[in-house]
Amino acid sequence: MSNEMQGYVQNAFEYARSSCGEGRVASYIPALAQVDPKKFGIAVALSNGEYHCAGDAEEPFSIQSISKVFTLTLALERLGNTLWESVGREPSGSSFNSIIQLETEGGKPRNPLINAGAIATTDRLIDNRSVDTTISEILDFMRESAADDSVFIDGIVATSEAGMGARNRSLAHFMSAFDNLRHPVETILAVYFQQCAVAMSCSQLARAGLFLALSGKDPSSSNQLISSEHCRRINAIMLACGHYDNSGEFAFRVGLPGKSGVGGGILAIAPGQGAIAVWSPGLNQAGTSLVGSLALEHFAAAAGWSVFE
Ligand code: GLN
């Protein structure tokens, strides 16, 4: 198994590498525009404890919207089904920071993985606690699931996004006007900008996503980190909504629940098998890593990983 799996990872890396430099690095967050577009890493964490990596798999990058999976997990565990009072679970078919549907749908975002929905989810996760307490809970959870205390928040990226955050502030104020937020906009965004600025390597991220491939169990202790029911539901939302208006295409090509971030990372989950993290900063139109998607498509096909077979 080990050599075979390492071969799949290496082949996917070689295949996608030729497209490195294509796609556009996110520039609306100035700190992200500084990242070398040629970076490319891939890591696979298997349910049996094996790891397989290629390229820049140990280099931390900004996970951005991939953090939304982890805040959704925490919020669902904390609040249960009352979370769905604030946010839906339908694909939006719109870009990640779109405001259009909020107006026609009463300020309730379509799902927790678009910006508006993630802001609403973070609002509920705060649950009358302080910014620092909430951010510590998020960071502790990321460290625990990655089994690595070196996971950190990149303060430069957080400040950079906060300085250019008019769009997210607009989304939040708009939801607030519909009475769909319980805390002040700046409190929620103080958490949101920091959660998006969590820095992790592909290896750490693949390990951190493994509980979603294991029905919610911690891979080392087998303790139930989250309920298996929540785990199934998070995977369903990732499959339907994890790539905004590119979610259908990703499901078609890769066939796995996934979540992209504008830092160029993607986390994909193969239930029962393992978790894959890729990183390459050049993005397609929908803000999903171009080279990362190619690598995932190649790897999933070679390994035979799909939720549809
Ligand atoms: N922090 C980014 C934002 O809010 C996250 C977007 C993304 O990764 N798609 O705009």
Side-chain angles (χ1 to χ4, degrees):
M1 172 64 125
S2 322
N3 286 343
E4 206 179 9
M5 201 42 86
Q6 183 60 37
Y8 297 149
V9 170
Q10 201 61 45
N11 288 345
F13 179 78
E14 300 299 342
Y15 167 79
R17 185 160 57 172
S18 55
S19 300
C20 259
E22 292 176 23
R24 305 238 324 250
V25 177
S27 55
Y28 75 99
I29 300 173
L32 296 184
Q34 311 300 319
V35 180
D36 177 358
K38 296 265 185 212
K39 292 286 178 189
F40 178 29
I42 175 167
V44 174
L46 298 183
S47 51
N48 66 7
E50 278 178 29
Y51 280 90
H52 300 281
C53 301
D56 302 311
E58 305 301 334
E59 194 171 321
F61 62 90
S62 191
I63 68 166
Q64 292 296 319
S65 283
I66 303 170
S67 67
K68 294 168 181 172
V69 172
F70 295 89
T71 47
L72 167 62
T73 302
L74 288 170
L76 207 46
E77 285 292 301
R78 188 175 185 86
L79 304 155
N81 284 333
T82 65
L83 175 65
W84 308 120
E85 293 163 5
S86 304
V87 63
R89 49 214 187 216
E90 287 293 347
S92 67
S94 306
S95 61
F96 64 89
N97 56 7
S98 176
I99 202 166
I100 294 172
Q101 285 163 345
L102 280 182
E103 169 141 38
T104 51
E105 297 180 7
K108 183 174 176 179
R110 281 277 176 108
N111 68 70
L113 301 182
I114 52 175
N115 282 15
I119 291 166
T121 303
T122 293
D123 172 55
R124 295 295 306 275
L125 179 63
I126 294 172
D127 202 14
N128 296 313
R129 298 174 299 160
S130 69
V131 168
D132 287 352
T133 304
T134 314
I135 258 305
S136 295
E137 182 188 23
I138 296 167
L139 191 57
D140 285 350
F141 182 55
M142 307 289 310
R143 287 175 170 168
E144 185 189 0
S145 52
D148 192 337
D149 281 346
S150 70
V151 173
F152 67 102
I153 292 171
D154 185 331
I156 294 175
V157 173
T159 306
S160 179
E161 184 168 6
M164 300 297 285
R167 186 80 177 219
N168 285 320
R169 288 190 175 88
S170 305
L171 293 171
H173 281 292
F174 211 69
M175 287 189 283
S176 201
F178 280 101
D179 226 6
N180 192 28
L181 295 180
R182 302 178 181 205
H183 303 92
V185 165
E186 285 306 324
T187 302
I188 305 163
L189 291 179
V191 177
Y192 177 78
F193 291 141
Q194 289 189 77
Q195 77 181 56
C196 289
V198 168
M200 293 172 92
S201 66
C202 290
S203 307
Q204 289 170 328
L205 191 57
R207 172 60 169 79
L210 209 43
F211 73 94
L212 290 171
L214 298 174
S215 304
K217 289 200 186 75
D218 180 278
S220 309
S221 65
S222 287
N223 290 340
Q224 207 72 43
L225 264 183
I226 63 164
S227 74
S228 59
E229 181 197 327
H230 287 168
C231 181
R232 277 198 301 280
R233 294 193 152 152
I234 293 162
N235 277 316
I237 294 170
M238 288 172 79
L239 186 80
C241 316
H243 308 274
Y244 323 111
D245 44 342
N246 201 226
S247 299
E249 186 69 11
F250 189 87
F252 180 82
R253 288 184 180 278
V254 180
L256 297 172
K259 182 73 205 84
S260 60
V262 290
I266 307 174
L267 173 64
I269 308 298
Q273 309 278 1
I276 317 149
V278 291
W279 170 49
S280 169
L283 308 175
N284 68 15
Q285 303 276 45
T288 295
S289 173
L290 198 144
V291 168
S293 310
L294 287 176
L296 279 171
E297 183 179 355
H298 194 283
F299 172 82
W305 286 8
S306 168
V307 293
F308 299 109
E309 58 186 21

PDB file of all heavy atoms in Angstrom, residues 28-29 63-66 68 96-97 115 161 168 192-193 196 244 259-263 286-287, ligand 1:
ATOM      1  N   TYR A  28      -6.683  40.673  -3.549  1.00  0.00           N
ATOM      2  CA  TYR A  28      -7.533  41.587  -2.779  1.00  0.00           C
ATOM      3  C   TYR A  28      -7.172  41.568  -1.297  1.00  0.00           C
ATOM      4  O   TYR A  28      -7.558  42.454  -0.545  1.00  0.00           O
ATOM      5  CB  TYR A  28      -9.023  41.289  -3.017  1.00  0.00           C
ATOM      6  CG  TYR A  28      -9.536  40.051  -2.319  1.00  0.00           C
ATOM      7  CD1 TYR A  28     -10.229  40.144  -1.114  1.00  0.00           C
ATOM      8  CD2 TYR A  28      -9.308  38.786  -2.845  1.00  0.00           C
ATOM      9  CE1 TYR A  28     -10.698  39.011  -0.467  1.00  0.00           C
ATOM     10  CE2 TYR A  28      -9.770  37.657  -2.211  1.00  0.00           C
ATOM     11  CZ  TYR A  28     -10.468  37.779  -1.012  1.00  0.00           C
ATOM     12  OH  TYR A  28     -10.915  36.653  -0.375  1.00  0.00           O
ATOM     13  N   ILE A  29      -6.433  40.519  -0.874  1.00  0.00           N
ATOM     14  CA  ILE A  29      -5.817  40.540   0.456  1.00  0.00           C
ATOM     15  C   ILE A  29      -4.322  40.755   0.180  1.00  0.00           C
ATOM     16  O   ILE A  29      -3.633  39.836  -0.277  1.00  0.00           O
ATOM     17  CB  ILE A  29      -6.064  39.217   1.218  1.00  0.00           C
ATOM     18  CG1 ILE A  29      -7.578  38.986   1.391  1.00  0.00           C
ATOM     19  CG2 ILE A  29      -5.354  39.225   2.564  1.00  0.00           C
ATOM     20  CD1 ILE A  29      -7.954  37.640   1.986  1.00  0.00           C
ATOM     21  N   ILE A  63      -4.751  29.298   5.225  1.00  0.00           N
ATOM     22  CA  ILE A  63      -5.821  28.351   4.845  1.00  0.00           C
ATOM     23  C   ILE A  63      -7.105  29.066   4.424  1.00  0.00           C
ATOM     24  O   ILE A  63      -7.977  28.477   3.796  1.00  0.00           O
ATOM     25  CB  ILE A  63      -6.127  27.316   5.957  1.00  0.00           C
ATOM     26  CG1 ILE A  63      -6.768  27.970   7.189  1.00  0.00           C
ATOM     27  CG2 ILE A  63      -4.889  26.514   6.302  1.00  0.00           C
ATOM     28  CD1 ILE A  63      -7.381  26.956   8.148  1.00  0.00           C
ATOM     29  N   GLN A  64      -7.251  30.347   4.795  1.00  0.00           N
ATOM     30  CA  GLN A  64      -8.414  31.152   4.387  1.00  0.00           C
ATOM     31  C   GLN A  64      -9.744  30.409   4.573  1.00  0.00           C
ATOM     32  O   GLN A  64     -10.036  29.994   5.664  1.00  0.00           O
ATOM     33  CB  GLN A  64      -8.207  31.653   2.948  1.00  0.00           C
ATOM     34  CG  GLN A  64      -7.074  32.673   2.857  1.00  0.00           C
ATOM     35  CD  GLN A  64      -7.380  33.938   3.629  1.00  0.00           C
ATOM     36  OE1 GLN A  64      -8.486  34.439   3.618  1.00  0.00           O
ATOM     37  NE2 GLN A  64      -6.390  34.459   4.343  1.00  0.00           N
ATOM     38  N   SER A  65     -10.493  30.203   3.485  1.00  0.00           N
ATOM     39  CA  SER A  65     -11.855  29.676   3.650  1.00  0.00           C
ATOM     40  C   SER A  65     -11.908  28.221   4.084  1.00  0.00           C
ATOM     41  O   SER A  65     -12.983  27.726   4.429  1.00  0.00           O
ATOM     42  CB  SER A  65     -12.641  29.830   2.351  1.00  0.00           C
ATOM     43  OG  SER A  65     -13.042  31.163   2.210  1.00  0.00           O
ATOM     44  N   ILE A  66     -10.781  27.524   4.070  1.00  0.00           N
ATOM     45  CA  ILE A  66     -10.805  26.138   4.570  1.00  0.00           C
ATOM     46  C   ILE A  66     -11.151  26.167   6.070  1.00  0.00           C
ATOM     47  O   ILE A  66     -11.734  25.231   6.607  1.00  0.00           O
ATOM     48  CB  ILE A  66      -9.466  25.419   4.289  1.00  0.00           C
ATOM     49  CG1 ILE A  66      -9.169  25.443   2.786  1.00  0.00           C
ATOM     50  CG2 ILE A  66      -9.491  23.984   4.799  1.00  0.00           C
ATOM     51  CD1 ILE A  66      -7.770  24.977   2.412  1.00  0.00           C
ATOM     52  N   LYS A  68     -13.480  27.623   7.328  1.00  0.00           N
ATOM     53  CA  LYS A  68     -14.945  27.600   7.498  1.00  0.00           C
ATOM     54  C   LYS A  68     -15.442  26.195   7.842  1.00  0.00           C
ATOM     55  O   LYS A  68     -16.470  26.044   8.497  1.00  0.00           O
ATOM     56  CB  LYS A  68     -15.628  28.085   6.210  1.00  0.00           C
ATOM     57  CG  LYS A  68     -15.351  29.558   5.876  1.00  0.00           C
ATOM     58  CD  LYS A  68     -15.815  29.893   4.458  1.00  0.00           C
ATOM     59  CE  LYS A  68     -15.548  31.338   4.074  1.00  0.00           C
ATOM     60  NZ  LYS A  68     -15.821  31.605   2.653  1.00  0.00           N
ATOM     61  N   PHE A  96     -17.877  33.514  -3.894  1.00  0.00           N
ATOM     62  CA  PHE A  96     -17.771  33.342  -2.440  1.00  0.00           C
ATOM     63  C   PHE A  96     -18.216  34.557  -1.649  1.00  0.00           C
ATOM     64  O   PHE A  96     -18.702  34.447  -0.535  1.00  0.00           O
ATOM     65  CB  PHE A  96     -16.360  32.916  -2.042  1.00  0.00           C
ATOM     66  CG  PHE A  96     -15.270  33.923  -2.328  1.00  0.00           C
ATOM     67  CD1 PHE A  96     -14.930  34.884  -1.381  1.00  0.00           C
ATOM     68  CD2 PHE A  96     -14.569  33.882  -3.520  1.00  0.00           C
ATOM     69  CE1 PHE A  96     -13.924  35.800  -1.618  1.00  0.00           C
ATOM     70  CE2 PHE A  96     -13.554  34.800  -3.770  1.00  0.00           C
ATOM     71  CZ  PHE A  96     -13.236  35.758  -2.834  1.00  0.00           C
ATOM     72  N   ASN A  97     -18.063  35.764  -2.253  1.00  0.00           N
ATOM     73  CA  ASN A  97     -18.377  36.969  -1.473  1.00  0.00           C
ATOM     74  C   ASN A  97     -19.593  37.708  -2.030  1.00  0.00           C
ATOM     75  O   ASN A  97     -19.752  38.899  -1.831  1.00  0.00           O
ATOM     76  CB  ASN A  97     -17.154  37.889  -1.405  1.00  0.00           C
ATOM     77  CG  ASN A  97     -16.640  38.244  -2.786  1.00  0.00           C
ATOM     78  OD1 ASN A  97     -17.255  37.915  -3.788  1.00  0.00           O
ATOM     79  ND2 ASN A  97     -15.509  38.915  -2.831  1.00  0.00           N
ATOM     80  N   ASN A 115     -18.895  33.286   2.153  1.00  0.00           N
ATOM     81  CA  ASN A 115     -18.469  34.236   3.190  1.00  0.00           C
ATOM     82  C   ASN A 115     -19.599  34.632   4.132  1.00  0.00           C
ATOM     83  O   ASN A 115     -19.438  34.632   5.353  1.00  0.00           O
ATOM     84  CB  ASN A 115     -17.864  35.490   2.554  1.00  0.00           C
ATOM     85  CG  ASN A 115     -16.449  35.257   2.072  1.00  0.00           C
ATOM     86  OD1 ASN A 115     -16.022  34.115   1.955  1.00  0.00           O
ATOM     87  ND2 ASN A 115     -15.728  36.328   1.795  1.00  0.00           N
ATOM     88  N   GLU A 161      -6.119  41.539   5.769  1.00  0.00           N
ATOM     89  CA  GLU A 161      -7.513  41.348   5.357  1.00  0.00           C
ATOM     90  C   GLU A 161      -8.438  42.332   6.072  1.00  0.00           C
ATOM     91  O   GLU A 161      -9.373  42.876   5.461  1.00  0.00           O
ATOM     92  CB  GLU A 161      -7.982  39.910   5.608  1.00  0.00           C
ATOM     93  CG  GLU A 161      -9.397  39.754   5.078  1.00  0.00           C
ATOM     94  CD  GLU A 161      -9.918  38.324   4.987  1.00  0.00           C
ATOM     95  OE1 GLU A 161      -9.235  37.395   5.440  1.00  0.00           O
ATOM     96  OE2 GLU A 161     -11.033  38.172   4.455  1.00  0.00           O
ATOM     97  N   ASN A 168     -16.596  42.062   3.209  1.00  0.00           N
ATOM     98  CA  ASN A 168     -17.117  41.223   4.294  1.00  0.00           C
ATOM     99  C   ASN A 168     -17.905  42.055   5.304  1.00  0.00           C
ATOM    100  O   ASN A 168     -18.902  41.594   5.864  1.00  0.00           O
ATOM    101  CB  ASN A 168     -15.973  40.466   4.971  1.00  0.00           C
ATOM    102  CG  ASN A 168     -15.490  39.306   4.107  1.00  0.00           C
ATOM    103  OD1 ASN A 168     -16.296  38.611   3.487  1.00  0.00           O
ATOM    104  ND2 ASN A 168     -14.181  39.108   4.037  1.00  0.00           N
ATOM    105  N   TYR A 192     -13.501  36.306  12.501  1.00  0.00           N
ATOM    106  CA  TYR A 192     -13.488  35.771  11.127  1.00  0.00           C
ATOM    107  C   TYR A 192     -12.141  36.027  10.429  1.00  0.00           C
ATOM    108  O   TYR A 192     -11.572  35.122   9.813  1.00  0.00           O
ATOM    109  CB  TYR A 192     -14.653  36.390  10.332  1.00  0.00           C
ATOM    110  CG  TYR A 192     -14.674  35.966   8.885  1.00  0.00           C
ATOM    111  CD1 TYR A 192     -15.146  34.712   8.508  1.00  0.00           C
ATOM    112  CD2 TYR A 192     -14.199  36.814   7.884  1.00  0.00           C
ATOM    113  CE1 TYR A 192     -15.148  34.323   7.167  1.00  0.00           C
ATOM    114  CE2 TYR A 192     -14.195  36.430   6.547  1.00  0.00           C
ATOM    115  CZ  TYR A 192     -14.668  35.183   6.198  1.00  0.00           C
ATOM    116  OH  TYR A 192     -14.656  34.797   4.879  1.00  0.00           O
ATOM    117  N   PHE A 193     -11.633  37.258  10.535  1.00  0.00           N
ATOM    118  CA  PHE A 193     -10.370  37.560   9.844  1.00  0.00           C
ATOM    119  C   PHE A 193      -9.218  36.734  10.428  1.00  0.00           C
ATOM    120  O   PHE A 193      -8.309  36.334   9.708  1.00  0.00           O
ATOM    121  CB  PHE A 193     -10.041  39.057   9.935  1.00  0.00           C
ATOM    122  CG  PHE A 193     -10.985  39.938   9.137  1.00  0.00           C
ATOM    123  CD1 PHE A 193     -11.406  41.166   9.636  1.00  0.00           C
ATOM    124  CD2 PHE A 193     -11.442  39.550   7.888  1.00  0.00           C
ATOM    125  CE1 PHE A 193     -12.269  41.985   8.909  1.00  0.00           C
ATOM    126  CE2 PHE A 193     -12.310  40.352   7.141  1.00  0.00           C
ATOM    127  CZ  PHE A 193     -12.727  41.577   7.651  1.00  0.00           C
ATOM    128  N   CYS A 196      -9.491  32.989   9.263  1.00  0.00           N
ATOM    129  CA  CYS A 196      -9.041  32.854   7.871  1.00  0.00           C
ATOM    130  C   CYS A 196      -7.517  32.934   7.768  1.00  0.00           C
ATOM    131  O   CYS A 196      -6.934  32.435   6.805  1.00  0.00           O
ATOM    132  CB  CYS A 196      -9.665  33.946   6.996  1.00  0.00           C
ATOM    133  SG  CYS A 196     -11.424  33.714   6.705  1.00  0.00           S
ATOM    134  N   TYR A 244     -18.088  27.097  -3.997  1.00  0.00           N
ATOM    135  CA  TYR A 244     -18.948  28.173  -4.504  1.00  0.00           C
ATOM    136  C   TYR A 244     -19.551  27.792  -5.860  1.00  0.00           C
ATOM    137  O   TYR A 244     -20.075  26.684  -5.993  1.00  0.00           O
ATOM    138  CB  TYR A 244     -18.165  29.511  -4.564  1.00  0.00           C
ATOM    139  CG  TYR A 244     -17.224  29.654  -3.405  1.00  0.00           C
ATOM    140  CD1 TYR A 244     -15.838  29.610  -3.554  1.00  0.00           C
ATOM    141  CD2 TYR A 244     -17.725  29.778  -2.112  1.00  0.00           C
ATOM    142  CE1 TYR A 244     -14.988  29.715  -2.466  1.00  0.00           C
ATOM    143  CE2 TYR A 244     -16.879  29.872  -1.019  1.00  0.00           C
ATOM    144  CZ  TYR A 244     -15.509  29.834  -1.210  1.00  0.00           C
ATOM    145  OH  TYR A 244     -14.675  29.934  -0.130  1.00  0.00           O
ATOM    146  N   LYS A 259     -12.983  21.577   0.261  1.00  0.00           N
ATOM    147  CA  LYS A 259     -13.125  23.007   0.554  1.00  0.00           C
ATOM    148  C   LYS A 259     -11.886  23.736   0.086  1.00  0.00           C
ATOM    149  O   LYS A 259     -10.763  23.348   0.419  1.00  0.00           O
ATOM    150  CB  LYS A 259     -13.308  23.248   2.060  1.00  0.00           C
ATOM    151  CG  LYS A 259     -13.506  24.723   2.404  1.00  0.00           C
ATOM    152  CD  LYS A 259     -14.884  25.208   1.992  1.00  0.00           C
ATOM    153  CE  LYS A 259     -14.955  26.706   1.737  1.00  0.00           C
ATOM    154  NZ  LYS A 259     -14.537  27.103   0.382  1.00  0.00           N
ATOM    155  N   SER A 260     -12.120  24.798  -0.673  1.00  0.00           N
ATOM    156  CA  SER A 260     -11.000  25.591  -1.180  1.00  0.00           C
ATOM    157  C   SER A 260     -10.829  26.861  -0.348  1.00  0.00           C
ATOM    158  O   SER A 260     -11.744  27.277   0.365  1.00  0.00           O
ATOM    159  CB  SER A 260     -11.279  25.985  -2.627  1.00  0.00           C
ATOM    160  OG  SER A 260     -12.475  26.750  -2.675  1.00  0.00           O
ATOM    161  N   GLY A 261      -9.661  27.466  -0.467  1.00  0.00           N
ATOM    162  CA  GLY A 261      -9.399  28.769   0.145  1.00  0.00           C
ATOM    163  C   GLY A 261      -8.637  29.634  -0.838  1.00  0.00           C
ATOM    164  O   GLY A 261      -7.893  29.100  -1.684  1.00  0.00           O
ATOM    165  N   VAL A 262      -8.793  30.962  -0.752  1.00  0.00           N
ATOM    166  CA  VAL A 262      -8.103  31.830  -1.709  1.00  0.00           C
ATOM    167  C   VAL A 262      -6.590  31.898  -1.484  1.00  0.00           C
ATOM    168  O   VAL A 262      -5.876  32.487  -2.289  1.00  0.00           O
ATOM    169  CB  VAL A 262      -8.682  33.272  -1.773  1.00  0.00           C
ATOM    170  CG1 VAL A 262     -10.048  33.291  -2.420  1.00  0.00           C
ATOM    171  CG2 VAL A 262      -8.687  33.938  -0.417  1.00  0.00           C
ATOM    172  N   GLY A 263      -6.103  31.267  -0.426  1.00  0.00           N
ATOM    173  CA  GLY A 263      -4.655  31.126  -0.253  1.00  0.00           C
ATOM    174  C   GLY A 263      -4.103  30.059  -1.197  1.00  0.00           C
ATOM    175  O   GLY A 263      -2.888  29.871  -1.292  1.00  0.00           O
ATOM    176  N   ALA A 286     -13.214  30.879  -9.876  1.00  0.00           N
ATOM    177  CA  ALA A 286     -14.054  30.745  -8.684  1.00  0.00           C
ATOM    178  C   ALA A 286     -13.247  30.829  -7.393  1.00  0.00           C
ATOM    179  O   ALA A 286     -13.792  30.648  -6.305  1.00  0.00           O
ATOM    180  CB  ALA A 286     -14.820  29.432  -8.736  1.00  0.00           C
ATOM    181  N   GLY A 287     -11.923  31.087  -7.518  1.00  0.00           N
ATOM    182  CA  GLY A 287     -11.104  31.206  -6.309  1.00  0.00           C
ATOM    183  C   GLY A 287     -10.641  29.866  -5.764  1.00  0.00           C
ATOM    184  O   GLY A 287     -10.295  29.746  -4.591  1.00  0.00           O
TER     185      GLY A 287
HETATM  186  N1  GLN B   1     -10.756  35.504   4.009  1.00  0.00           N
HETATM  187  C1  GLN B   1     -11.289  35.392   2.686  1.00  0.00           C
HETATM  188  C2  GLN B   1     -12.469  36.345   2.522  1.00  0.00           C
HETATM  189  O1  GLN B   1     -13.223  36.476   3.422  1.00  0.00           O
HETATM  190  C3  GLN B   1     -11.712  33.983   2.447  1.00  0.00           C
HETATM  191  C4  GLN B   1     -12.279  33.765   1.054  1.00  0.00           C
HETATM  192  C5  GLN B   1     -11.881  32.450   0.460  1.00  0.00           C
HETATM  193  O2  GLN B   1     -10.907  31.818   0.844  1.00  0.00           O
HETATM  194  N2  GLN B   1     -12.605  32.052  -0.538  1.00  0.00           N
HETATM  195  O3  GLN B   1     -12.652  36.967   1.512  1.00  0.00           O
END
